[in-house]
Amino acid sequence: MRSEIIVNTAPGAIVDVPGLQVGHFTHNQRLTGCTVVLAPDGAVGAVDVRGAAPGTRETDLLDPANLVERVHAVLLSGGSAFGLDAASGVMRWLDEHHIGFETPFGRVPIVPAAVLFDLPVVRPGDIPHIRPDAAAGYAACQAASSGPPAAGNVGAGAGASVGKLFGMDRAMKGGMGHASVRVGPWVVGALIACNAVGDVLDPSSGQILAGARTADGQRLLDTQHALLCGDTGSRPLPGTNTTIGVVGTNATLTKAQAKRLAISAHDGLARSIRPAHTTLDGDTLFALATCTENQPADLMLLTVMAAQATALATLDAIHHANGVQTTLGYLPSALEMGA
């Protein structure tokens, strides 16, 4: 009998994967924050970096050829390279809870991390030099649970924006999104902080939901079409964008198989962001396999599920984003633009 694919109307979340928890920390004095995905019992980890300007930590350890098999947390953060400091707080929390990589001299928490560039998104009255730090990472761990996580302007997606090729004054608000897909005994969930230079569109209809706006700010421009017509835009600095995220599954995978899951998850970004994986983005996706389902993994199916969950989580980030006034202009939400 064929398995039926289940995609919840409420799109679900990575916490639908047994063994994973999510915690957000959002600053109240600056629109930035961080998000942690905890795997207290450990998860086989991998990563795939497709953007040309990533900001990451501990990604080399996730290479299938390298030593560490399991990790216990992945951190996503705003604040550009400054935000990598938040991983130290995640390490401290894990250390206090005696969680980490076993050595003869104690446990060493391994915390892979990726950051996005949200420094231009400053509201009037914000304190610009505030960025996620070790205290923020620790607080995200304290907030972590297996309950439905918040979406939109929270955590690593708090200061996210999209459609920036023609300047921040014509961009829109991005955010944090979630989704999960179930087939048979397997579940794949995704958590995405969408901060792309390109537009976000619904793959099922081709409709652009958020992105660069026309010069009068009233309509969506269609970045890809504009580029193909010879409009080069203002070309933001490399690394000033980036969509980062985590896909998780209950399947039992090796590191090499988890790497394949992360690779395939990027297909979901390519379906929902146009253009994706540019020289101006640092697109990075992690994969975590909690190995709680013992049935032999159908890797072909799991990779399809990963791409689907990633695309849905990207759309969820846009649907839940709220417009904000910044010192560089107003960033409207997709809802405000009629999407």
Side-chain angles (χ1 to χ4, degrees):
M1 186 171 65
R2 289 178 60 184
S3 297
E4 180 182 359
I5 185 168
I6 301 171
V7 179
N8 299 329
T9 304
I14 199 170
V15 294
D16 294 336
V17 176
L20 297 183
Q21 302 173 2
V22 171
H24 298 304
F25 174 81
T26 309
H27 275 287
N28 56 20
Q29 294 177 299
R30 166 74 194 281
L31 203 56
T32 191
C34 61
T35 297
V36 66
V37 179
L38 290 180
D41 296 324
V44 175
V47 67
D48 189 54
V49 180
R50 292 292 177 91
T56 58
R57 162 179 164 150
E58 298 282 30
T59 52
D60 284 351
L61 278 174
L62 298 181
D63 188 291
N66 290 339
L67 176 64
V68 174
E69 182 73 18
R70 286 178 170 250
V71 299
H72 296 86
V74 171
L75 175 80
L76 308 180
S77 182
S80 188
F82 295 105
L84 291 173
D85 187 37
S88 298
V90 179
M91 285 190 68
R92 180 162 64 89
W93 188 91
L94 291 170
D95 185 40
E96 290 177 1
H97 289 77
H98 310 292
I99 298 172
F101 178 68
E102 291 278 5
T103 80
F105 307 98
R107 294 181 177 89
V108 179
I110 306 297
V111 183
V115 295
L116 56 78
F117 190 91
D118 58 5
L119 302 186
V121 182
V122 180
R123 299 166 299 190
D126 276 356
I127 302 173
H129 67 266
I130 288 180
R131 301 122 181 175
D133 56 11
Y138 189 92
C141 292
Q142 288 182 306
S145 78
S146 57
N153 298 14
V154 296
S161 54
V162 299
K164 290 165 279 190
L165 193 64
F166 296 86
M168 286 298 295
D169 59 331
R170 292 167 61 180
M172 290 177 62
K173 190 68 182 69
M176 173 66 64
H178 312 277
S180 65
V181 178
R182 296 176 185 269
V183 179
W186 295 295
V187 56
V188 176
L191 176 153
I192 298 292
C194 184
N195 187 57
V197 72
D199 302 336
V200 178
L201 67 151
D202 184 340
S204 65
S205 65
Q207 178 190 1
I208 298 175
L209 305 177
R213 292 173 288 146
T214 53
D216 62 8
Q218 300 302 305
R219 293 175 294 110
L220 289 165
L221 177 67
D222 190 336
T223 295
Q224 177 173 285
H225 182 264
L227 284 170
L228 293 174
C229 289
D231 191 343
T232 59
S234 60
R235 294 296 168 95
L237 291 172
T240 56
N241 311 282
T242 291
T243 296
I244 53 179
V246 184
V247 293
T249 183
N250 62 339
T252 298
L253 301 179
T254 65
K255 281 180 75 174
Q257 290 172 322
K259 171 79 171 182
R260 181 55 55 185
L261 201 71
I263 291 170
S264 298
H266 276 283
D267 291 349
L269 293 188
R271 292 173 194 167
S272 55
I273 297 173
R274 192 172 66 191
H277 308 134
T278 75
T279 56
L280 305 177
D281 292 283
D283 299 337
T284 299
L285 293 179
F286 297 93
L288 296 174
T290 59
C291 305
T292 56
E293 173 53 55
N294 293 323
Q295 184 167 319
D298 183 340
L299 192 60
M300 174 68 181
L301 173 59
L302 290 167
T303 57
V304 172
M305 293 168 69
Q308 176 76 352
T310 300
L312 291 172
T314 304
L315 301 189
D316 190 60
I318 297 305
H319 287 312
H320 282 91
N322 293 318
V324 295
Q325 182 65 49
T326 78
T327 56
L328 297 177
Y330 186 70
L331 295 176
S333 68
L335 182 64
E336 290 171 300
M337 293 297 292

